[in-house]
Amino acid sequence: MRVLLVEDDRDLGGAVRDHIAAEGYAADWVRRLDEAENATLATAYDLVLLDLNLPDGKGLDFLRRLRKRGDATPIIILTAMDQVSSRIEGLNAGADDYIVKPFDLSELSARLAAVARRYTGNPNPLLTFGEIEIDQAHRLVTNAGKPIEVTAREWAILERLVRHPGIAVSKAQIEETLYEFGAEIESNAVEVYVSRLRKKLGHDFIRTARGIGYRVER
């Protein structure tokens, strides 16, 4: 998952970005709406975390502009305004969820995962591939009932592949899931993580689509 964080508070923004990165995802953090606008035009994000009060304008205006131009990227509002009227306004403007500051980072993770699942068309957190079960809500993987330990980045790749079974995901798309803007990417990083997953889940679980990328089959 690649996330755009639009938040001008340095302490909160840093904490959220680091938390997302620790879970294996890429997080691009901007502090102004003009930067957010440029980022959404340049990159296809899986989800946007949006503060409502930014130095150069209102987050709701940015949200309405995205929806007006047909951008359906899931958006979770982060704000200190907890009035019911503010929540209604945000949801009516096109937001998918609303979290009031201060919030627990583990709750944020759960909200991120739930919104992402809804947008992939499969809100069920438990996926089954033969003897392999993937619990997206609790980030658990089992093979024939045996727990399989996966790292944060292995999980991020696995989640990206199982989101649309049977459809090949390119190496570039996987890199976008793992790395934020400006990050140095080793040329064989994706291959290394895929190889590790194959050792844990079976070589045939992740198949190579030659000239395209990787896929999993139901």
Side-chain angles (χ1 to χ4, degrees):
M1 187 188 307
R2 185 161 189 164
V3 178
L4 174 64
L5 171 62
V6 188
E7 170 61 62
D8 65 321
D9 184 291
R10 291 184 179 273
D11 291 337
L12 177 60
V16 171
R17 178 200 57 195
D18 292 347
H19 180 73
I20 294 172
E23 296 203 329
Y25 303 127
D28 296 327
W29 176 23
V30 298
R31 300 173 179 84
R32 295 174 54 88
L33 291 177
D34 56 357
E35 296 174 340
E37 190 81 37
N38 291 335
T40 55
L41 291 173
T43 304
Y45 288 97
D46 297 297
L47 192 141
V48 176
L49 295 174
L50 177 64
D51 187 20
L52 291 186
N53 293 310
L54 283 304
D56 58 338
K58 300 294 184 182
L60 282 183
D61 293 334
F62 170 70
L63 170 56
R64 291 188 180 102
R65 287 197 298 273
L66 286 182
R67 296 306 188 226
K68 187 175 181 179
R69 74 181 189 218
D71 190 323
T73 304
I75 294 179
I76 298 177
I77 290 176
L78 308 178
T79 181
M81 296 188 294
D82 61 353
Q83 298 92 339
V84 173
S85 59
S86 296
R87 299 187 190 192
I88 292 174
E89 186 179 15
L91 295 171
N92 285 341
D96 297 272
D97 205 347
Y98 198 109
I99 302 180
V100 177
K101 304 173 186 176
F103 52 83
D104 189 271
L105 290 173
S106 60
E107 179 188 0
L108 175 62
S109 294
R111 300 282 190 101
L112 283 170
V115 170
R117 289 197 303 271
R118 289 202 301 269
Y119 267 77
T120 60
N122 186 3
N124 182 5
L126 185 62
L127 301 177
T128 303
F129 299 81
E131 293 189 324
I132 294 175
E133 288 191 348
I134 300 170
D135 185 340
Q136 298 178 92
H138 299 95
R139 297 168 69 101
L140 298 175
V141 183
T142 60
N143 188 352
K146 179 182 178 181
I148 304 296
E149 291 188 9
V150 294
T151 66
R153 285 197 164 168
E154 289 168 359
W155 173 264
I157 292 176
L158 182 61
E159 186 181 52
R160 183 67 176 82
L161 291 172
V162 301
R163 191 181 301 170
H164 298 292
I167 298 177
V169 181
S170 70
K171 178 181 176 180
Q173 289 173 317
I174 294 175
E175 288 175 343
E176 286 186 355
T177 299
L178 299 176
Y179 299 100
E180 66 277 5
F181 282 133
E184 184 175 346
I185 305 173
E186 295 184 12
S187 60
N188 67 335
V190 172
E191 288 86 350
V192 169
Y193 289 124
V194 168
S195 177
R196 291 175 182 173
L197 283 169
R198 282 172 167 165
K199 288 179 180 179
K200 296 176 179 182
L201 303 175
H203 187 273
D204 291 335
F205 182 72
I206 298 177
R207 303 183 183 183
T208 300
R210 298 203 176 277
I212 303 176
Y214 302 96
R215 71 176 188 273
V216 298
E217 301 285 352
R218 292 304 296 264

